[in-house]
Amino acid sequence: MDLSILRYSNVWEDLELLYGGLQIEDTDNILSITSSGDNVLGLLLKKPNSITAIDLSPTQNHLLELKIAAIKELEHEEFLNILGINDCSDRMKLFSKIESSLSPEACSFWRENFTLIELGIVFQGKLEKHFFKLVEEIKRQNWDAKIEKFLHLSDIKEQEQEFKRVFNEDFAKFFENLFCAESLSKGRDEEKYKYVTIDDTGKQFFQRFRNCCCSCPAQENFYLHWLLLRKYIHDLPHYLRQENFDILKKQIHKVKVVTAELNEFLKKQSKNSISKANLSNLFEYLSLEQTNDIFMELSRVMSPGGISAHWNLFVERTFPKDLTLFKRMPKSKELFEKDRIGWAYGDFHLVEYLS
């Protein structure tokens, strides 16, 4: 995969599942996949002892560094401006305020790719550009007014009644085509479908989309607002909210950013040095052997009673079934039923490390 491009400019994993599953305390040392950094910053709001953000992609880490520097140096409104949440005509001026807080590598990257910032970084991920084809079709078909009305609903029964009328057959057909493996691999990478054996992922995604729209209050689901309208109409993600900005400023020194392959990183860590881990949907893209190797390293590095969280899309991956070092926590299913991005995922795992 080309690690030089920006793959994700937003995290498409529900932070509330991490809050409910990991139960962060002030003594926790957290390991988290970086992705776009949103959930790293979301976990930081719980005031842990430390967070190590790790990603194989230097570009994704450069994005998190940009967010960290902006939190340190800017006011809240300026933070929203430089990321693209708000319209802004002079993001270069804002960048000049934060560049001294960036690493030389990140600073060089953003100077060479300043167009990404200028156009609004939250819109510029490869995956987001693919997702936003749905927004373009919604506008082209003049579906946006009725969809926005649906997204203001908070009653599940009403959402169930309205779903078929709002998301008609034409919408379903476009959605399924956009999310079929052949199409979605262009928004992600063909390599990420190496272990997927399901033929019609588009239909699977739409079925999950229906379930999500009919099980979670639409008004509260800002992930759904962003997917369908490319704007937030009720709430912002936690790390963007004004009431959380001062907390981030005070806690931001606790984040360490690491560019490395996860297993190689884990081999260098001391025993029982990590208590909680957000592993994103990492295992979806790995072989069973690679997955087992990582869990074996985690069994050494995680403290007794430590918890990791990860999602599966279409490939079932979790800890080695024949070992008693691990236990899937019953809360996994309960939390997954409330997943506001359940349209994207097939399962959610909370793993407890027993020894």
Side-chain angles (χ1 to χ4, degrees):
M1 294 185 294
D2 182 359
L3 298 178
S4 68
I5 66 170
L6 186 65
R7 298 187 172 280
Y8 314 106
S9 52
N10 304 266
V11 169
W12 297 91
E13 291 154 7
D14 193 342
L15 179 63
E16 291 296 336
L17 271 66
L18 298 179
Y19 281 170
L22 297 182
Q23 293 294 307
I24 305 300
E25 299 177 353
D26 59 8
T27 55
D28 279 321
N29 295 306
I30 301 173
L31 178 68
S32 178
I33 300 298
T34 302
S35 186
S36 72
D38 302 7
N39 282 355
V40 173
L41 298 173
L43 291 171
L44 186 64
L45 290 170
K46 295 297 183 180
K47 304 178 183 179
N49 184 59
S50 71
I51 297 184
T52 299
I54 183 169
D55 209 291
L56 189 60
S57 166
T59 304
Q60 296 303 140
N61 281 337
H62 295 335
L63 176 58
L64 176 55
E65 279 198 55
L66 181 78
K67 293 178 179 181
I68 289 172
I71 289 166
K72 288 179 178 178
E73 306 298 340
L74 302 180
E75 299 303 319
H76 180 254
E77 186 174 354
E78 294 175 314
F79 180 55
L80 298 184
N81 289 348
I82 197 170
L83 295 183
I85 300 297
N86 294 338
D87 291 335
C88 178
S89 60
D90 194 0
R91 294 195 173 104
M92 178 55 83
K93 183 178 180 180
L94 295 175
F95 181 75
S96 68
K97 290 184 177 183
I98 71 171
E99 59 181 328
S100 62
S101 293
L102 295 168
S103 68
E105 296 80 9
C107 187
S108 176
F109 174 84
W110 290 117
R111 280 197 164 276
E112 293 173 8
N113 296 275
F114 187 75
T115 301
L116 296 175
I117 297 176
E118 198 169 35
L119 294 174
I121 195 67
V122 290
F123 304 109
Q124 301 308 310
K126 184 179 180 182
L127 184 62
E128 281 74 20
K129 288 180 179 179
H130 184 76
F131 283 179
F132 292 151
K133 292 177 184 177
L134 182 60
V135 179
E136 292 166 4
E137 181 68 7
I138 287 170
K139 289 182 177 179
R140 192 179 73 83
Q141 297 283 1
N142 295 316
W143 295 332
D144 43 334
K146 65 179 181 180
I147 286 176
E148 182 161 351
K149 185 176 179 181
F150 178 89
L151 293 176
H152 278 91
L153 298 178
S154 57
D155 181 84
I156 298 301
K157 289 186 177 180
E158 189 175 1
Q159 289 171 213
E160 290 176 348
Q161 293 168 357
E162 288 291 299
F163 181 86
K164 193 169 183 179
R165 184 186 69 81
V166 175
F167 302 104
N168 57 30
E169 290 183 9
D170 289 336
F171 176 93
K173 184 177 179 180
F174 187 87
F175 189 100
E176 289 173 9
N177 288 337
L178 187 67
F179 285 90
C180 72
E182 181 181 359
S183 176
L184 193 53
S185 65
K186 297 173 184 175
R188 305 177 81 216
D189 276 285
E190 290 185 11
E191 181 68 18
K192 293 198 171 188
Y193 288 86
K194 183 175 181 178
Y195 300 104
V196 175
T197 57
I198 296 171
D199 292 329
D200 201 339
T201 61
K203 287 190 180 298
Q204 289 268 358
F205 272 121
F206 187 73
Q207 180 61 49
R208 294 175 184 177
F209 176 77
R210 179 190 291 112
N211 293 342
C212 183
C213 287
C214 297
S215 62
C216 302
Q219 187 182 73
E220 301 171 13
N221 194 344
F222 54 79
Y223 299 106
L224 201 58
H225 304 173
W226 196 242
L227 174 72
L228 297 174
L229 299 177
R230 204 169 64 171
K231 66 179 182 179
Y232 298 115
I233 60 175
H234 188 61
D235 282 329
L236 291 170
H238 293 68
Y239 84 101
L240 294 175
R241 296 176 188 175
Q242 185 171 12
E243 64 267 26
N244 292 332
F245 195 64
D246 284 344
I247 300 173
L248 290 177
K249 276 188 177 291
K250 292 174 182 176
Q251 298 290 317
I252 202 66
H253 66 280
K254 296 180 179 180
V255 180
K256 178 183 178 182
V257 183
V258 175
T259 302
E261 191 274 326
L262 179 59
N263 208 25
E264 293 305 311
F265 170 82
L266 290 173
K267 288 176 182 178
K268 299 174 183 177
Q269 306 312 301
S270 58
K271 185 176 180 180
N272 300 341
S273 58
I274 298 168
S275 56
K276 304 288 169 63
N278 162 34
L279 302 176
S280 183
N281 59 335
L282 170 73
F283 302 115
E284 181 86 7
Y285 316 126
L286 303 180
S287 68
L288 190 58
E289 182 181 8
Q290 289 171 312
T291 300
N292 290 347
D293 286 346
I294 288 176
F295 272 108
M296 290 309 297
E297 285 300 326
L298 284 168
S299 70
R300 180 184 65 82
V301 172
M302 296 288 288
S303 57
I307 303 170
S308 71
H310 71 274
W311 282 262
N312 292 148
L313 280 80
F314 292 108
V315 182
E316 180 63 25
R317 290 280 189 265
T318 188
F319 56 83
K321 297 290 188 182
D322 57 340
L323 295 181
T324 57
L325 300 168
F326 315 96
K327 180 178 76 173
R328 185 181 185 189
M329 300 175 71
K331 191 186 289 187
S332 303
K333 183 178 179 182
E334 173 191 336
L335 288 170
F336 186 57
E337 288 174 353
K338 301 174 183 178
D339 195 331
R340 291 171 295 176
I341 321 178
W343 56 268
Y345 298 102
D347 209 351
F348 175 69
H349 294 263
L350 290 171
V351 178
E352 183 178 2
Y353 296 78
L354 304 178
S355 175

